[in-house]
CSV table of all heavy atoms in Angstrom, one decimal:
chain,number,residue,atom,x,y,z
A,18,MET,N,-6.8,56.5,-29.5
A,18,MET,CA,-6.9,55.6,-28.4
A,18,MET,C,-7.2,54.2,-28.8
A,18,MET,O,-8.3,53.9,-29.3
A,18,MET,CB,-7.8,56.1,-27.4
A,18,MET,CG,-7.8,55.5,-26.0
A,18,MET,SD,-6.2,55.9,-25.1
A,18,MET,CE,-6.4,55.0,-23.6
A,19,SER,N,-6.3,53.4,-28.6
A,19,SER,CA,-6.6,51.9,-29.0
A,19,SER,C,-6.7,51.1,-27.7
A,19,SER,O,-6.4,51.5,-26.6
A,19,SER,CB,-5.4,51.3,-29.8
A,19,SER,OG,-4.2,51.3,-29.0
A,20,THR,N,-7.4,50.0,-27.9
A,20,THR,CA,-7.7,49.0,-26.8
A,20,THR,C,-7.2,47.6,-27.2
A,20,THR,O,-7.1,47.3,-28.4
A,20,THR,CB,-9.2,49.0,-26.5
A,20,THR,OG1,-9.4,48.2,-25.4
A,20,THR,CG2,-10.0,48.6,-27.7
A,21,THR,N,-6.8,46.9,-26.2
A,21,THR,CA,-6.4,45.6,-26.3
A,21,THR,C,-7.3,44.6,-25.7
A,21,THR,O,-7.7,44.7,-24.6
A,21,THR,CB,-5.0,45.4,-25.8
A,21,THR,OG1,-4.0,46.3,-26.5
A,21,THR,CG2,-4.5,44.0,-26.0
A,22,THR,N,-7.7,43.6,-26.5
A,22,THR,CA,-8.6,42.5,-26.0
A,22,THR,C,-7.8,41.2,-26.1
A,22,THR,O,-7.1,41.0,-27.1
A,22,THR,CB,-9.8,42.3,-27.0
A,22,THR,OG1,-10.4,43.5,-27.2
A,22,THR,CG2,-10.8,41.3,-26.5
A,23,THR,N,-7.8,40.5,-25.0
A,23,THR,CA,-7.0,39.2,-25.0
A,23,THR,C,-8.0,37.9,-24.9
A,23,THR,O,-8.9,38.0,-24.0
A,23,THR,CB,-6.1,39.2,-23.7
A,23,THR,OG1,-5.2,40.3,-23.8
A,23,THR,CG2,-5.3,37.9,-23.6
A,24,VAL,N,-7.9,37.0,-25.7
A,24,VAL,CA,-8.6,35.8,-25.6
A,24,VAL,C,-7.7,34.6,-25.6
A,24,VAL,O,-6.5,34.8,-26.0
A,24,VAL,CB,-9.6,35.7,-26.8
A,24,VAL,CG1,-10.6,36.8,-26.8
A,24,VAL,CG2,-8.8,35.7,-28.2
A,25,THR,N,-8.0,33.5,-25.3
A,25,THR,CA,-7.3,32.3,-25.4
A,25,THR,C,-7.9,31.4,-26.4
A,25,THR,O,-9.1,31.0,-26.4
A,25,THR,CB,-7.3,31.5,-24.0
A,25,THR,OG1,-6.7,32.4,-23.0
A,25,THR,CG2,-6.4,30.3,-24.1
A,26,VAL,N,-7.1,30.9,-27.4
A,26,VAL,CA,-7.6,30.1,-28.4
A,26,VAL,C,-7.0,28.7,-28.3
A,26,VAL,O,-5.8,28.5,-28.1
A,26,VAL,CB,-7.2,30.7,-29.8
A,26,VAL,CG1,-7.4,29.8,-30.9
A,26,VAL,CG2,-7.9,32.1,-30.0
A,27,THR,N,-7.9,27.7,-28.5
A,27,THR,CA,-7.5,26.3,-28.3
A,27,THR,C,-7.4,25.7,-29.7
A,27,THR,O,-8.1,26.1,-30.7
A,27,THR,CB,-8.4,25.5,-27.5
A,27,THR,OG1,-9.7,25.5,-28.0
A,27,THR,CG2,-8.4,26.0,-26.0
A,28,GLY,N,-6.5,24.8,-29.9
A,28,GLY,CA,-6.5,24.0,-31.1
A,28,GLY,C,-5.3,24.3,-32.0
A,28,GLY,O,-5.0,23.6,-33.1
A,29,MET,N,-4.6,25.4,-31.7
A,29,MET,CA,-3.5,25.8,-32.6
A,29,MET,C,-2.3,24.8,-32.3
A,29,MET,O,-1.9,24.7,-31.1
A,29,MET,CB,-3.1,27.2,-32.3
A,29,MET,CG,-4.2,28.2,-32.8
A,29,MET,SD,-3.6,29.9,-32.7
A,29,MET,CE,-3.2,30.1,-30.9
A,30,THR,N,-1.7,24.4,-33.4
A,30,THR,CA,-0.5,23.4,-33.2
A,30,THR,C,0.8,23.9,-33.8
A,30,THR,O,1.8,23.3,-33.6
A,30,THR,CB,-0.8,22.0,-33.6
A,30,THR,OG1,-1.3,22.1,-35.0
A,30,THR,CG2,-2.0,21.4,-32.8
A,31,CYS,N,0.7,24.9,-34.8
A,31,CYS,CA,1.9,25.2,-35.5
A,31,CYS,C,1.8,26.6,-36.0
A,31,CYS,O,0.8,27.4,-35.9
A,31,CYS,CB,2.2,24.2,-36.6
A,31,CYS,SG,1.0,24.4,-38.0
A,32,GLY,N,2.8,27.1,-36.7
A,32,GLY,CA,2.8,28.4,-37.3
A,32,GLY,C,1.8,28.7,-38.3
A,32,GLY,O,1.3,29.8,-38.4
A,33,HIS,N,1.3,27.6,-38.9
A,33,HIS,CA,0.2,27.8,-39.9
A,33,HIS,C,-1.0,28.1,-39.2
A,33,HIS,O,-1.7,29.0,-39.6
A,33,HIS,CB,0.1,26.5,-40.7
A,33,HIS,CG,-1.0,26.6,-41.7
A,33,HIS,ND1,-1.0,27.3,-42.9
A,33,HIS,CD2,-2.4,26.1,-41.6
A,33,HIS,CE1,-2.2,27.2,-43.5
A,33,HIS,NE2,-3.0,26.6,-42.8
A,34,CYS,N,-1.3,27.6,-38.1
A,34,CYS,CA,-2.5,27.8,-37.3
A,34,CYS,C,-2.5,29.3,-36.8
A,34,CYS,O,-3.4,30.0,-36.9
A,34,CYS,CB,-2.5,27.0,-36.1
A,34,CYS,SG,-2.5,25.1,-36.4
A,35,VAL,N,-1.2,29.7,-36.3
A,35,VAL,CA,-1.1,31.0,-35.9
A,35,VAL,C,-1.4,32.1,-37.0
A,35,VAL,O,-2.1,33.0,-36.8
A,35,VAL,CB,0.4,31.3,-35.4
A,35,VAL,CG1,0.7,32.8,-35.1
A,35,VAL,CG2,0.6,30.4,-34.1
A,36,ALA,N,-0.9,31.7,-38.2
A,36,ALA,CA,-1.1,32.7,-39.4
A,36,ALA,C,-2.6,32.7,-39.7
A,36,ALA,O,-3.1,33.7,-40.0
A,36,ALA,CB,-0.2,32.3,-40.5
A,37,SER,N,-3.3,31.6,-39.6
A,37,SER,CA,-4.7,31.6,-40.0
A,37,SER,C,-5.5,32.4,-39.0
A,37,SER,O,-6.4,33.1,-39.4
A,37,SER,CB,-5.3,30.1,-39.9
A,37,SER,OG,-4.6,29.3,-40.9
A,38,VAL,N,-5.3,32.3,-37.7
A,38,VAL,CA,-5.9,33.0,-36.7
A,38,VAL,C,-5.6,34.5,-36.8
A,38,VAL,O,-6.5,35.3,-36.9
A,38,VAL,CB,-5.6,32.6,-35.3
A,38,VAL,CG1,-6.1,33.5,-34.2
A,38,VAL,CG2,-6.1,31.2,-35.0
A,39,ARG,N,-4.4,34.8,-37.1
A,39,ARG,CA,-3.9,36.2,-37.3
A,39,ARG,C,-4.7,36.9,-38.5
A,39,ARG,O,-5.1,38.0,-38.4
A,39,ARG,CB,-2.4,36.3,-37.4
A,39,ARG,CG,-1.9,37.7,-37.4
A,39,ARG,CD,-0.4,37.6,-37.5
A,39,ARG,NE,0.3,37.3,-36.4
A,39,ARG,CZ,1.4,36.4,-36.3
A,39,ARG,NH1,1.8,36.0,-37.5
A,39,ARG,NH2,2.0,36.1,-35.2
A,40,GLU,N,-4.8,36.2,-39.5
A,40,GLU,CA,-5.4,36.7,-40.8
A,40,GLU,C,-6.9,36.9,-40.5
A,40,GLU,O,-7.4,37.9,-40.8
A,40,GLU,CB,-5.2,35.7,-41.9
A,40,GLU,CG,-5.8,36.1,-43.2
A,40,GLU,CD,-5.6,35.2,-44.4
A,40,GLU,OE1,-4.6,34.4,-44.3
A,40,GLU,OE2,-6.3,35.2,-45.4
A,41,GLU,N,-7.6,35.9,-40.0
A,41,GLU,CA,-9.1,36.0,-39.8
A,41,GLU,C,-9.4,37.1,-38.8
A,41,GLU,O,-10.3,38.0,-39.0
A,41,GLU,CB,-9.7,34.7,-39.3
A,41,GLU,CG,-9.7,33.7,-40.4
A,41,GLU,CD,-10.7,34.0,-41.6
A,41,GLU,OE1,-11.6,34.8,-41.3
A,41,GLU,OE2,-10.5,33.4,-42.6
A,42,VAL,N,-8.7,37.1,-37.7
A,42,VAL,CA,-9.0,38.1,-36.6
A,42,VAL,C,-8.6,39.4,-37.1
A,42,VAL,O,-9.3,40.5,-36.8
A,42,VAL,CB,-8.3,37.7,-35.3
A,42,VAL,CG1,-8.5,38.9,-34.2
A,42,VAL,CG2,-8.8,36.5,-34.7
A,43,GLY,N,-7.5,39.5,-37.9
A,43,GLY,CA,-7.1,40.8,-38.4
A,43,GLY,C,-8.0,41.4,-39.4
A,43,GLY,O,-7.9,42.7,-39.7
A,44,GLU,N,-9.0,40.7,-39.9
A,44,GLU,CA,-10.0,41.2,-40.8
A,44,GLU,C,-11.1,41.9,-40.2
A,44,GLU,O,-12.0,42.6,-40.8
A,44,GLU,CB,-10.4,40.1,-41.8
A,44,GLU,CG,-9.4,39.8,-42.8
A,44,GLU,CD,-9.8,38.6,-43.7
A,44,GLU,OE1,-10.9,38.1,-43.5
A,44,GLU,OE2,-9.0,38.2,-44.5
A,45,LEU,N,-11.2,41.8,-38.9
A,45,LEU,CA,-12.3,42.5,-38.0
A,45,LEU,C,-12.1,44.0,-38.2
A,45,LEU,O,-11.0,44.5,-38.2
A,45,LEU,CB,-12.3,42.0,-36.7
A,45,LEU,CG,-12.7,40.5,-36.3
A,45,LEU,CD1,-12.5,40.2,-34.9
A,45,LEU,CD2,-14.2,40.2,-36.8
A,46,ALA,N,-13.2,44.7,-38.3
A,46,ALA,CA,-13.1,46.1,-38.4
A,46,ALA,C,-12.4,46.8,-37.2
A,46,ALA,O,-12.7,46.5,-36.1
A,46,ALA,CB,-14.5,46.6,-38.5
A,47,GLY,N,-11.5,47.6,-37.6
A,47,GLY,CA,-10.8,48.4,-36.6
A,47,GLY,C,-9.6,47.8,-36.0
A,47,GLY,O,-8.9,48.4,-35.2
A,48,VAL,N,-9.3,46.5,-36.3
A,48,VAL,CA,-8.2,45.8,-35.7
A,48,VAL,C,-6.9,46.2,-36.4
A,48,VAL,O,-6.8,46.2,-37.6
A,48,VAL,CB,-8.3,44.2,-35.9
A,48,VAL,CG1,-7.1,43.6,-35.5
A,48,VAL,CG2,-9.6,43.7,-35.1
A,49,SER,N,-5.9,46.6,-35.5
A,49,SER,CA,-4.6,47.1,-36.1
A,49,SER,C,-3.5,46.1,-35.9
A,49,SER,O,-2.5,46.1,-36.6
A,49,SER,CB,-4.2,48.4,-35.4
A,49,SER,OG,-4.2,48.4,-34.0
A,50,SER,N,-3.6,45.3,-34.9
A,50,SER,CA,-2.6,44.2,-34.8
A,50,SER,C,-3.1,43.0,-34.0
A,50,SER,O,-3.9,43.2,-33.1
A,50,SER,CB,-1.3,44.8,-34.2
A,50,SER,OG,-1.5,44.9,-32.7
A,51,VAL,N,-2.6,41.8,-34.4
A,51,VAL,CA,-2.9,40.6,-33.6
A,51,VAL,C,-1.7,39.9,-33.2
A,51,VAL,O,-0.9,39.5,-34.1
A,51,VAL,CB,-3.8,39.7,-34.5
A,51,VAL,CG1,-4.2,38.5,-33.8
A,51,VAL,CG2,-5.0,40.4,-35.1
A,52,ASP,N,-1.5,39.7,-32.0
A,52,ASP,CA,-0.3,38.9,-31.5
A,52,ASP,C,-0.8,37.6,-31.0
A,52,ASP,O,-1.6,37.4,-30.1
A,52,ASP,CB,0.4,39.7,-30.3
A,52,ASP,CG,1.2,40.9,-30.8
A,52,ASP,OD1,1.8,40.7,-32.0
A,52,ASP,OD2,1.3,41.9,-30.2
A,53,VAL,N,-0.2,36.6,-31.5
A,53,VAL,CA,-0.5,35.2,-31.1
A,53,VAL,C,0.7,34.5,-30.5
A,53,VAL,O,1.8,34.4,-31.0
A,53,VAL,CB,-1.0,34.4,-32.3
A,53,VAL,CG1,-1.4,32.9,-31.9
A,53,VAL,CG2,-2.2,35.1,-33.0
A,54,ASP,N,0.4,33.9,-29.2
A,54,ASP,CA,1.4,33.1,-28.6
A,54,ASP,C,0.9,31.6,-28.7
A,54,ASP,O,0.0,31.2,-28.1
A,54,ASP,CB,1.6,33.4,-27.2
A,54,ASP,CG,2.7,32.6,-26.5
A,54,ASP,OD1,3.8,32.8,-26.9
A,54,ASP,OD2,2.4,31.8,-25.7
A,55,LEU,N,1.8,30.8,-29.5
A,55,LEU,CA,1.3,29.5,-29.9
A,55,LEU,C,1.3,28.6,-28.6
A,55,LEU,O,0.4,27.8,-28.4
A,55,LEU,CB,2.2,29.0,-30.9
A,55,LEU,CG,2.0,27.5,-31.4
A,55,LEU,CD1,0.6,27.3,-31.9
A,55,LEU,CD2,3.1,27.0,-32.4
A,56,ALA,N,2.4,28.7,-27.8
A,56,ALA,CA,2.5,27.8,-26.7
A,56,ALA,C,1.3,28.0,-25.7
A,56,ALA,O,0.8,27.0,-25.2
A,56,ALA,CB,3.8,28.1,-25.9
A,57,SER,N,0.9,29.2,-25.5
A,57,SER,CA,-0.2,29.4,-24.4
A,57,SER,C,-1.6,29.5,-25.1
A,57,SER,O,-2.6,29.5,-24.4
A,57,SER,CB,0.1,30.6,-23.6
A,57,SER,OG,0.1,31.7,-24.5
A,58,GLY,N,-1.6,29.8,-26.3
A,58,GLY,CA,-2.9,30.1,-27.1
A,58,GLY,C,-3.3,31.5,-26.8
A,58,GLY,O,-4.5,31.8,-27.3
A,59,ARG,N,-2.6,32.3,-26.2
A,59,ARG,CA,-3.0,33.6,-25.9
A,59,ARG,C,-2.9,34.5,-27.1
A,59,ARG,O,-1.9,34.5,-27.8
A,59,ARG,CB,-2.1,34.2,-24.8
A,59,ARG,CG,-2.3,35.7,-24.4
A,59,ARG,CD,-1.2,36.2,-23.5
A,59,ARG,NE,-1.4,37.6,-23.3
A,59,ARG,CZ,-1.7,38.2,-22.2
A,59,ARG,NH1,-1.8,37.5,-21.1
A,59,ARG,NH2,-1.7,39.5,-22.1
A,60,VAL,N,-4.1,35.3,-27.4
A,60,VAL,CA,-4.1,36.1,-28.5
A,60,VAL,C,-4.5,37.6,-28.0
A,60,VAL,O,-5.6,37.8,-27.4
A,60,VAL,CB,-5.2,35.7,-29.5
A,60,VAL,CG1,-5.4,36.6,-30.7
A,60,VAL,CG2,-4.9,34.3,-30.0
A,61,ASP,N,-3.6,38.5,-28.3
A,61,ASP,CA,-3.7,39.9,-28.0
A,61,ASP,C,-4.2,40.7,-29.2
A,61,ASP,O,-3.4,40.7,-30.1
A,61,ASP,CB,-2.5,40.5,-27.3
A,61,ASP,CG,-2.2,39.9,-26.0
A,61,ASP,OD1,-3.1,39.7,-25.2
A,61,ASP,OD2,-1.0,39.5,-25.8
A,62,ILE,N,-5.3,41.2,-29.2
A,62,ILE,CA,-5.9,41.9,-30.2
A,62,ILE,C,-5.9,43.4,-30.0
A,62,ILE,O,-6.7,43.9,-29.1
A,62,ILE,CB,-7.2,41.5,-30.7
A,62,ILE,CG1,-7.3,39.9,-30.7
A,62,ILE,CG2,-7.8,42.0,-32.0
A,62,ILE,CD1,-8.7,39.2,-30.6
A,63,THR,N,-5.2,44.2,-30.8
A,63,THR,CA,-5.3,45.6,-30.6
A,63,THR,C,-6.2,46.3,-31.7
A,63,THR,O,-6.1,46.0,-32.8
A,63,THR,CB,-3.9,46.3,-30.8
A,63,THR,OG1,-3.0,45.7,-29.8
A,63,THR,CG2,-3.8,47.8,-30.5
A,64,SER,N,-7.1,47.1,-31.2
A,64,SER,CA,-8.2,47.7,-32.1
A,64,SER,C,-8.5,49.2,-31.6
A,64,SER,O,-8.2,49.6,-30.6
A,64,SER,CB,-9.5,46.9,-32.0
A,64,SER,OG,-9.9,46.8,-30.7
A,65,GLU,N,-9.1,49.9,-32.6
A,65,GLU,CA,-9.4,51.3,-32.4
A,65,GLU,C,-10.5,51.4,-31.4
A,65,GLU,O,-10.6,52.4,-30.6
A,65,GLU,CB,-9.8,51.9,-33.7
A,65,GLU,CG,-8.7,52.0,-34.7
A,65,GLU,CD,-9.3,52.3,-36.1
A,65,GLU,OE1,-10.4,52.7,-36.2
A,65,GLU,OE2,-8.5,52.2,-37.1
A,66,ALA,N,-11.4,50.5,-31.4
A,66,ALA,CA,-12.6,50.5,-30.5
A,66,ALA,C,-12.8,49.1,-29.9
A,66,ALA,O,-12.3,48.2,-30.4
A,66,ALA,CB,-13.9,51.0,-31.2
A,67,PRO,N,-13.5,49.0,-28.7
A,67,PRO,CA,-13.7,47.6,-28.1
A,67,PRO,C,-14.3,46.8,-29.1
A,67,PRO,O,-15.2,47.2,-29.9
A,67,PRO,CB,-14.6,48.0,-27.0
A,67,PRO,CG,-14.3,49.4,-26.6
A,67,PRO,CD,-13.9,50.1,-27.9
A,68,LEU,N,-13.9,45.4,-29.1
A,68,LEU,CA,-14.5,44.5,-30.0
A,68,LEU,C,-15.5,43.6,-29.3
A,68,LEU,O,-15.6,43.5,-28.1
A,68,LEU,CB,-13.3,43.5,-30.4
A,68,LEU,CG,-12.2,44.1,-31.2
A,68,LEU,CD1,-11.0,43.1,-31.4
A,68,LEU,CD2,-12.7,44.6,-32.6
A,69,ASP,N,-16.5,43.2,-30.1
A,69,ASP,CA,-17.5,42.3,-29.7
A,69,ASP,C,-16.9,40.9,-29.5
A,69,ASP,O,-16.4,40.4,-30.6
A,69,ASP,CB,-18.7,42.3,-30.7
A,69,ASP,CG,-19.9,41.6,-30.2
A,69,ASP,OD1,-19.8,40.4,-29.8
A,69,ASP,OD2,-21.1,42.2,-30.3
A,70,SER,N,-17.1,40.3,-28.4
A,70,SER,CA,-16.5,39.0,-28.2
A,70,SER,C,-17.2,37.9,-29.2
A,70,SER,O,-16.4,37.0,-29.5
A,70,SER,CB,-16.7,38.5,-26.8
A,70,SER,OG,-18.1,38.4,-26.4
A,71,ASP,N,-18.4,38.1,-29.6
A,71,ASP,CA,-19.0,37.2,-30.5
A,71,ASP,C,-18.3,37.3,-31.9
A,71,ASP,O,-18.1,36.3,-32.6
A,71,ASP,CB,-20.5,37.4,-30.7
A,71,ASP,CG,-21.4,37.0,-29.5
A,71,ASP,OD1,-20.9,36.3,-28.7
A,71,ASP,OD2,-22.4,37.5,-29.5
A,72,ASP,N,-17.9,38.5,-32.3
A,72,ASP,CA,-17.2,38.7,-33.5
A,72,ASP,C,-15.8,38.0,-33.5
A,72,ASP,O,-15.4,37.4,-34.5
A,72,ASP,CB,-17.0,40.2,-33.8
A,72,ASP,CG,-18.4,40.9,-34.3
A,72,ASP,OD1,-19.3,40.2,-34.5
A,72,ASP,OD2,-18.3,42.1,-34.2
A,73,ILE,N,-15.2,38.1,-32.4
A,73,ILE,CA,-13.8,37.5,-32.2
A,73,ILE,C,-14.0,36.0,-32.3
A,73,ILE,O,-13.3,35.3,-33.0
A,73,ILE,CB,-13.1,37.9,-30.9
A,73,ILE,CG1,-12.9,39.4,-30.8
A,73,ILE,CG2,-11.9,37.0,-30.7
A,73,ILE,CD1,-12.5,39.8,-29.5
A,74,ALA,N,-15.0,35.5,-31.6
A,74,ALA,CA,-15.2,34.0,-31.6
A,74,ALA,C,-15.5,33.5,-33.0
A,74,ALA,O,-15.1,32.4,-33.4
A,74,ALA,CB,-16.4,33.7,-30.6
A,75,ARG,N,-16.3,34.3,-33.7
A,75,ARG,CA,-16.7,33.9,-35.2
A,75,ARG,C,-15.5,33.9,-36.0
A,75,ARG,O,-15.3,32.9,-36.7
A,75,ARG,CB,-17.7,34.9,-35.7
A,75,ARG,CG,-18.4,34.4,-36.9
A,75,ARG,CD,-19.5,35.3,-37.4
A,75,ARG,NE,-20.5,35.5,-36.3
A,75,ARG,CZ,-20.7,36.8,-35.8
A,75,ARG,NH1,-20.0,37.8,-36.2
A,75,ARG,NH2,-21.6,36.9,-34.8
A,76,ALA,N,-14.6,34.8,-35.9
A,76,ALA,CA,-13.4,35.0,-36.7
A,76,ALA,C,-12.4,33.8,-36.3
A,76,ALA,O,-11.9,33.1,-37.2
A,76,ALA,CB,-12.5,36.3,-36.5
A,77,VAL,N,-12.3,33.5,-35.0
A,77,VAL,CA,-11.5,32.3,-34.6
A,77,VAL,C,-12.1,31.0,-35.2
A,77,VAL,O,-11.4,30.2,-35.6
A,77,VAL,CB,-11.3,32.3,-33.1
A,77,VAL,CG1,-10.7,31.0,-32.7
A,77,VAL,CG2,-10.5,33.5,-32.7
A,78,SER,N,-13.3,30.9,-35.2
A,78,SER,CA,-14.0,29.7,-35.7
A,78,SER,C,-13.9,29.6,-37.2
A,78,SER,O,-13.6,28.5,-37.7
A,78,SER,CB,-15.5,29.8,-35.3
A,78,SER,OG,-16.3,28.9,-35.9
A,79,ASP,N,-13.9,30.7,-37.8
A,79,ASP,CA,-13.7,30.8,-39.3
A,79,ASP,C,-12.3,30.2,-39.7
A,79,ASP,O,-12.1,29.6,-40.7
A,79,ASP,CB,-13.9,32.1,-39.9
A,79,ASP,CG,-15.3,32.5,-40.0
A,79,ASP,OD1,-16.2,31.6,-39.9
A,79,ASP,OD2,-15.7,33.7,-40.2
A,80,ALA,N,-11.4,30.5,-38.8
A,80,ALA,CA,-10.0,30.1,-39.0
A,80,ALA,C,-9.8,28.5,-38.7
A,80,ALA,O,-8.9,27.9,-39.1
A,80,ALA,CB,-9.0,30.9,-38.2
A,81,GLY,N,-10.8,28.0,-38.0
A,81,GLY,CA,-10.9,26.5,-37.6
A,81,GLY,C,-10.4,26.2,-36.2
A,81,GLY,O,-10.2,25.0,-35.9
A,82,TYR,N,-10.5,27.2,-35.3
A,82,TYR,CA,-10.2,27.1,-33.9
A,82,TYR,C,-11.3,27.6,-33.0
A,82,TYR,O,-12.3,28.0,-33.5
A,82,TYR,CB,-8.8,27.7,-33.6
A,82,TYR,CG,-7.8,27.3,-34.6
A,82,TYR,CD1,-7.6,28.1,-35.8
A,82,TYR,CD2,-7.2,26.0,-34.6
A,82,TYR,CE1,-6.7,27.6,-36.7
A,82,TYR,CE2,-6.4,25.6,-35.6
A,82,TYR,CZ,-6.1,26.4,-36.6
A,82,TYR,OH,-5.3,26.0,-37.6
A,83,GLN,N,-11.1,27.5,-31.7
A,83,GLN,CA,-12.1,27.9,-30.7
A,83,GLN,C,-11.5,28.8,-29.6
A,83,GLN,O,-10.4,28.6,-29.2
A,83,GLN,CB,-12.7,26.7,-30.0
A,83,GLN,CG,-13.4,25.6,-30.9
A,83,GLN,CD,-14.6,26.2,-31.6
A,83,GLN,OE1,-15.4,27.0,-31.0
A,83,GLN,NE2,-14.8,25.9,-32.9
A,84,VAL,N,-12.4,29.8,-29.3
A,84,VAL,CA,-12.0,30.5,-28.1
A,84,VAL,C,-12.4,29.8,-26.9
A,84,VAL,O,-13.5,29.3,-26.7
A,84,VAL,CB,-12.7,31.9,-28.2
A,84,VAL,CG1,-12.5,32.7,-26.9
A,84,VAL,CG2,-12.3,32.8,-29.4
A,85,SER,N,-11.5,29.7,-26.0
A,85,SER,CA,-11.8,28.9,-24.8
A,85,SER,C,-12.5,29.8,-23.7
A,85,SER,O,-12.4,31.0,-23.9
A,85,SER,CB,-10.6,28.2,-24.1
A,85,SER,OG,-9.8,29.1,-23.6
B,34,CU,CU1,-1.0,24.4,-37.5
């Protein structure tokens, strides 16, 4: 049973930004997929278990962006 967590990320401007967010968030334990919509900043994260929002925020921050 997987769960999807949606967050909005600000500061992404191009495909490189998208790739950075996808990579960092994808490294969180249990994450199986990360879908990023550049235009809206919407990030859908699929994982085996519910994710801690602080962990997501930290991963996004590590990539150089912010969860709004
Ligand atoms: Cu970019």
Side-chain angles (χ1 to χ4, degrees):
M18 189 70 181
S19 64
T20 183
T21 301
T22 306
T23 300
V24 296
T25 301
V26 172
T27 56
M29 297 188 295
T30 57
C31 71
H33 176 78
C34 303
V35 169
S37 298
V38 168
R39 188 180 286 141
E40 182 177 339
E41 289 291 342
V42 174
E44 286 175 0
L45 292 173
V48 171
S49 55
S50 75
V51 183
D52 283 327
V53 180
D54 182 67
L55 177 60
S57 64
R59 178 186 169 115
V60 178
D61 294 313
I62 309 158
T63 304
S64 57
E65 294 165 13
L68 296 170
D69 187 310
S70 61
D71 287 346
D72 290 341
I73 298 171
R75 193 175 308 115
V77 169
S78 170
D79 284 349
Y82 310 97
Q83 298 297 320
V84 174
S85 68

